[in-house]
C-alpha cells in the first residue's frame, strides 16, 4: 500500500455513542476522515451535528465506541488529550474570541503557552495569519471593536496559529449578518483549497456543494447519508434527506 | 471621575504618588497647626501609616484568599466546597471585633512554642480572613459570569485547565469582581480601626490617645476623620483607575 496513492486517515470514529441523560444524541456513529478532505456535515436542528464535532476534541466525552485522531486514541488521559487538542482546531458559531485580549494576543496566547513559542516568533506568525484573513490592520484592537465577520476571521486565524492538522467548524456563519457571511466563506474556501483537513457543520448548502469533497447527513443521532456533494444534492437516497433539502431550499 | 476613566494609567500613578506624599509628608503641615494637633503631628502620621499598612497587607492577602476560596466554592470536590462555604458562613455571620479578639487571644495558645505574634500581625490576620470571606463571594460571582464559550475556546486550543484559569477566567472574572472588591477595600480602610481594640496604634487609636491627653476631642477627631477621608479617596481613585484599565476590552 503506497501512502501517496491513498490519503492517510486522520480521524477515525468507530461506533461512537453519546447520551445526555436519557436522550440519545449520537447512536453508533462511524466515519473515517482523510487528510486534506473537506467534509460538510448537514442535517436538521438537534440531529447531533455539534455533538459529533465536539466529541472529536473532547469538549464532550463520548460514552461508547472509539475515536482515533492521527493515531492517538481519544481518552481521558490528559497527555493524549493535550496532544490531540494541539492538532485539532475549532471554530465556533459565536466566535469565542478572548474578550480581554487584543486580536494579536488572541492569536499568540496558545502558541506561546502550549507550543512554548517565543513571543517574537508567535507575533510574526500571528501577523502573517492576520494578513491572510485580511485583518492585519486590526491587530491592536479588541474583539468588541470588530464586526462579526471580522471576529470570525480572527477566530479562524487563531485556530490556524496552532498549526492544526484538522479544523472543525461548527456553523461558522450562522451567527453573522447576511452581508458578512461571504467574507468568512471566502476565507474558508481559500483554506479548503490549501489542503487542510476540514469538517464543517453548516447550513450553507451552496458552500457545501461547491467546496466540500464529501457530505454527511445527520438525522436523529445517526449518519443517514455519507456521499459526494453531487450525489447528495441531486439524488439523496433517504426520504429524510429529501425532506431536509426541500425545506432548506424553501428557506432560501 | 471622568478623568480617571480616560487616563487610568495616570490616575493610578497620581493616586499612588499622592498617597505616598501624604503618608510621609503630612506631619509637616500638621506640625504647624495649633495644639492639640501640632505637637502630635508625628503620631498622626505614624497612625496613618499603620492604617494603610494594615489595609494593604490584609487587602492583598484578602484578594488571594478570595480567589482561592472562590475557586474552592466552585470545586467539584465536596469537602473543599464545604470547607469554603463554612469559612464564608462563619466569617460573615460573626462580628469583626470578635474575630480580631479571637485571633489575638486564641491563636497564641495554639501556636507552637517560640512563635510570637505581634498585635499588628494578629490584626492583619483577622482582617485578611474577614475581607477574604467577603471577597470570596465577589470572585465566585465573577467566575460564574465568564461565558462558557471562553473556556471552551481555551480548552480547544490546548490550554491546560490551570492555564485556562490564569490566562482567561481570572482576568475576565476580575473585570466583573473588581467594583465589589474595591468596595471591600474601601471598607477595610475603615474597618482596620477596630484593631485599636487589641492595642495596635493605628489612626483611631492615635486619635483616642491624643484627645485623652488634651481633653479636646473635637479638633482631634475632626483631624482623624479628614485623614480617613483622604485615605479612602486615594484608594477609591486607585481602584476606579484599575477598573477602567481592565475595562478596555469591554467598550467600543
Ligand atoms: N449539554 C447537553 N445537555 C443535554 N442535551 C444536550 C446537550 N447538548 C446537546 N443536547 C441535545 O442533543 C441533541 C443534539 O444536539 P446538537 O447540538 O448536537 O444538535 P445539532 O445537530 O448541532 O443542532 P443545531 O443545528 O440546532 O445546532 C439536541 O436535542 C440537544 O438538545
Ligand atoms: Mg449545532
Amino acid at each position: 500500500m503506497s501512502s501517496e496513492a491513498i490519503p492517510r486517515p486522520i480521524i477515525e470514529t468507530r461506533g461512537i455513542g453519546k447520551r445526555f441523560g436519557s436522550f440519545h444524541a449520537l447512536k453508533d456513529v462511524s466515519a473515517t476522515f482523510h487528510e486534506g478532505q473537506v467534509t460538510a456535515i448537514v442535517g436538521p436542528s438537534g440531529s447531533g451535528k455539534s455533538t459529533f464535532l465536539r466529541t472529536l476534541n473532547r469538549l464532550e466525552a463520548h460514552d461508547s465506541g472509539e475515536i482515533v485522531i492521527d493515531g492517538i486514541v481519544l481518552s481521558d488521559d490528559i497527555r493524549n488529550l493535550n496532544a490531540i487538542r494541539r492538532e485539532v482546531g475549532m471554530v465556533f458559531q459565536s466566535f469565542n474570541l478572548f474578550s480581554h485580549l487584543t486580536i494579536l494576543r488572541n492569536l499568540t496566547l496558545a502558541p506561546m503557552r502550549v507550543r512554548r513559542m517565543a513571543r517574537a516568533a508567535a507575533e510574526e506568525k500571528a501577523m502573517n495569519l492576520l494578513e491572510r484573513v485580511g485583518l492585519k490592520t486590526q491587530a491592536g484592537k479588541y474583539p468588541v471593536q470588530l464586526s462579526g465577520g471580522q471576529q470570525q476571521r480572527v477566530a479562524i486565524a487563531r485556530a490556524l496559529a496552532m498549526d492544526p492538522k484538522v479544523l472543525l467548524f461548527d456553523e461558522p456563519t450562522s451567527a453573522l449578518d447576511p452581508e458578512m457571511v461571504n467574507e468568512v466563506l471566502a476565507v474558508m474556501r481559500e483554506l479548503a483549497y490549501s489542503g487542510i483537513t476540514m469538517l464543517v457543520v453548516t447550513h450553507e448548502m451552496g458552500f457545501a456543494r461547491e467546496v466540500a469533497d464529501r457530505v454527511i447527513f445527520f438525522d436523529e443521532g445517526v449518519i443517514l447519508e455519507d456521499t459526494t456533494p453531487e450525489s447528495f444534492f441531486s439524488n439523496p437516497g433517504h426520504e429524510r434527506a429529501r425532506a431536509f433539502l426541500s425545506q432548506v431550499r424553501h428557506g432560501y | 471621575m471622568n478623568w480617571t476613566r480616560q487616563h487610568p494609567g495616570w490616575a493610578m500613578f497620581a493616586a499612588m504618588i499622592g498617597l505616598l506624599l501624604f503618608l510621609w509628608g503630612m506631619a509637616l503641615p500638621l506640625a504647624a497647626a495649633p495644639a492639640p494637633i501640632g505637637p502630635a503631628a508625628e503620631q498622626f502620621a505614624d497612625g496613618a501609616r499603620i492604617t494603610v499598612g494594615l489595609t494593604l497587607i490584609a487587602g492583598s492577602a484578602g484578594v488571594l484568599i478570595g480567589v482561592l476560596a472562590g475557586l474552592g466554592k466552585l470545586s467539584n470536590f465536596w469537602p473543599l466546597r464545604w470547607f469554603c462555604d463554612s469559612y464564608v458562613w462563619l466569617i460573615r455571620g460573626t462580628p469583626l471585633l470578635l474575630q480580631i479578639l479571637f485571633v489575638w487571644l486564641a491563636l497564641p495558645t495554639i501556636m507552637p512554642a517560640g512563635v510570637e505574634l505581634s498585635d499588628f500581625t494578629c490584626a492583619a490576620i483577622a482582617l485578611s480572613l474577614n475581607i477574604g470571606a467577603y471577597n470570596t463571594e465577589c470572585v465566585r460571582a465573577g467566575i460564574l459570569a465568564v461565558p462558557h464559550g471562553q473556556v471552551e475556546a481555551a480548552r480547544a486550543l490546548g490550554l491546560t485547565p490551570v492555564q485556562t484559569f490564569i490566562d482567561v477566567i481570572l482576568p475576565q472574572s476580575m473585570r466583573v469582581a473588581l467594583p465589589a472588591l474595591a468596595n471591600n477595600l474601601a471598607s477595610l480602610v475603615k474597618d482596620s480601626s477596630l484593631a485599636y481594640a487589641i492595642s495596635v496604634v493605628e489612626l483611631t487609636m492615635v486619635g483616642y490617645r491624643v484627645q485623652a491627653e488634651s481633653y479636646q476631642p473635637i479638633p482631634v477627631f475632626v483631624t482623624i476623620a479628614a485623614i480617613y477621608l483622604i485615605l479612602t479617596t486615594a484608594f477609591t481613585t486607585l481602584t476606579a483607575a484599575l477598573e477602567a484599565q481592565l475595562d478596555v476590552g469591554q467598550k467600543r
Side-chain angles (χ1 to χ4, degrees):
Chain A
M1 190 170 92
S2 88
S3 57
E4 291 86 40
I6 304 165
R8 204 160 57 94
I10 191 141
I11 297 182
E12 295 177 77
T13 71
R14 299 192 198 105
I16 54 173
K18 171 73 186 171
R19 282 173 186 278
F20 293 110
S22 64
F23 182 78
H24 216 160
L26 292 178
K27 305 166 192 159
D28 193 28
V29 176
S30 300
T32 300
F33 301 90
H34 293 94
E35 217 162 31
Q37 201 173 40
V38 177
T39 307
I41 299 174
V42 302
S45 183
S47 56
K49 306 179 299 289
S50 298
T51 307
F52 176 66
L53 216 58
R54 291 160 57 83
T55 57
L56 299 181
N57 66 351
R58 215 172 181 73
L59 287 181
E60 302 285 2
H62 57 290
D63 305 329
S64 54
E66 189 176 54
I67 300 177
V68 183
I69 307 227
D70 203 20
I72 307 171
V73 176
L74 193 52
S75 68
D76 271 329
D77 184 327
I78 194 78
R79 267 175 320 184
N80 280 358
L81 191 57
N82 289 339
I84 282 166
R85 284 189 171 143
R86 282 196 294 265
E87 308 305 335
V88 179
M90 188 158 201
V91 176
F92 300 86
Q93 181 174 345
S94 47
F95 330 132
N96 297 352
L97 293 180
F98 302 128
S99 56
H100 64 300
L101 298 178
T102 62
I103 300 307
L104 185 67
R105 291 284 293 138
N106 262 276
L107 266 69
T108 56
L109 178 66
M112 285 170 63
R113 291 285 185 275
V114 181
R115 295 234 189 256
R116 307 252 162 249
M117 230 180 184
R119 179 183 285 270
E123 287 184 351
E124 191 188 329
K125 173 165 204 181
M127 290 311 289
N128 288 337
L129 285 167
L130 285 177
E131 182 157 32
R132 187 168 168 189
V133 299
L135 292 170
K136 199 175 181 180
T137 54
Q138 315 289 326
K141 292 195 176 162
Y142 284 86
V144 284
Q145 296 172 297
L146 267 52
S147 74
Q150 290 175 321
Q151 289 192 52
Q152 193 60 300
R153 279 143 68 198
V154 172
I156 294 173
R158 178 177 68 175
L160 289 174
M162 286 296 286
D163 287 322
K165 297 205 170 97
V166 183
L167 264 186
L168 310 175
F169 293 83
D170 192 356
E171 300 197 27
T173 58
S174 296
L176 298 177
D177 292 337
E179 70 271 21
M180 291 170 186
V181 169
N182 279 329
E183 63 189 69
V184 172
L185 291 182
V187 169
M188 291 172 61
R189 193 175 293 121
E190 189 259 324
L191 273 181
Y193 295 138
S194 79
I196 188 166
T197 313
M198 290 166 57
L199 273 66
V200 187
V201 173
T202 185
H203 289 304
E204 295 288 335
M205 294 303 146
F207 178 80
R209 186 165 208 159
E210 176 203 350
V211 177
D213 306 312
R214 174 182 181 189
V215 174
I216 286 181
F217 176 71
F218 261 85
D219 191 45
E220 297 187 340
V222 297
I223 295 182
L224 266 194
E225 305 235 0
D226 183 350
T227 179
T228 61
E230 298 77 52
S231 129
F232 179 75
F233 288 107
S234 57
N235 186 24
H238 287 78
E239 183 51 41
R240 293 283 299 171
R242 271 197 289 276
F244 171 75
L245 277 176
S246 82
Q247 204 173 32
V248 172
R249 290 209 180 99
H250 256 86
Y252 283 66
Chain B
M1 287 289 143
N2 224 344
W3 187 83
T4 309
R5 297 232 136 251
Q6 272 154 18
H7 308 279
W10 284 109
M12 266 196 278
F13 185 69
M16 240 163 339
I17 295 294
L19 191 60
L20 287 177
L21 281 179
F22 178 65
L23 287 178
W24 270 273
M26 67 193 271
L28 276 170
L30 279 184
I37 308 301
E42 278 303 335
Q43 275 175 277
F44 284 112
D46 284 340
R49 284 196 288 267
I50 296 284
T51 289
V52 170
L54 268 180
T55 303
L56 289 180
I57 291 171
S60 316
V63 168
L64 195 67
I65 294 173
V67 168
L68 293 177
L71 256 186
K73 275 188 84 129
L74 294 169
S75 161
N76 290 326
F77 183 58
W78 72 262
L80 184 61
R81 216 167 48 229
W82 179 85
F83 177 80
C84 295
D85 282 341
S86 311
Y87 158 66
V88 172
W89 174 73
L90 194 73
I91 298 286
R92 298 213 304 184
T94 55
L96 173 57
L97 184 54
L98 180 71
Q99 293 159 17
I100 291 174
L101 289 173
F102 184 87
V103 169
W104 190 54
L105 294 169
L107 209 55
T109 65
I110 56 172
M111 288 303 268
V115 179
E116 286 276 328
L117 293 180
S118 69
D119 300 340
F120 182 87
T121 309
C122 289
I125 291 174
L127 286 168
S128 302
L129 288 173
N130 183 268
I131 189 175
Y134 288 91
N135 287 350
T136 298
E137 288 303 311
C138 312
V139 171
R140 193 184 85 99
I143 291 175
L144 287 176
V146 177
H148 194 56
Q150 298 282 314
V151 178
E152 291 198 332
R155 304 289 290 127
L157 282 164
L159 269 69
T160 62
V162 173
Q163 288 171 334
T164 301
F165 180 73
I166 291 173
D167 286 317
V168 178
I169 301 176
L170 195 59
Q172 292 198 20
S173 60
M174 277 304 142
R175 208 158 52 186
V176 174
L178 205 67
L181 292 179
N183 229 343
N184 291 350
L185 191 71
S187 307
L188 185 62
V189 178
K190 299 170 283 172
D191 288 348
S192 67
S193 65
L194 284 175
Y196 96 100
I198 59 172
S199 58
V200 176
V201 190
E202 44 67 66
L203 199 48
T204 304
M205 175 65 118
V206 168
Y208 185 78
R209 282 187 179 172
V210 174
Q211 68 82 33
E213 286 158 14
S214 64
Y215 301 106
Q216 294 188 38
I218 291 176
V220 172
F221 284 133
V222 165
T223 308
I224 296 289
I227 296 175
Y228 270 116
L229 278 170
I230 291 169
L231 293 182
T232 48
T233 305
F235 276 103
T236 312
T237 308
L238 210 63
T239 48
L242 188 63
E243 244 169 76
Q245 188 88 48
L246 284 179
D247 207 32
V248 281
Q250 286 299 67
K251 51 176 189 246
R252 246 172 209 281

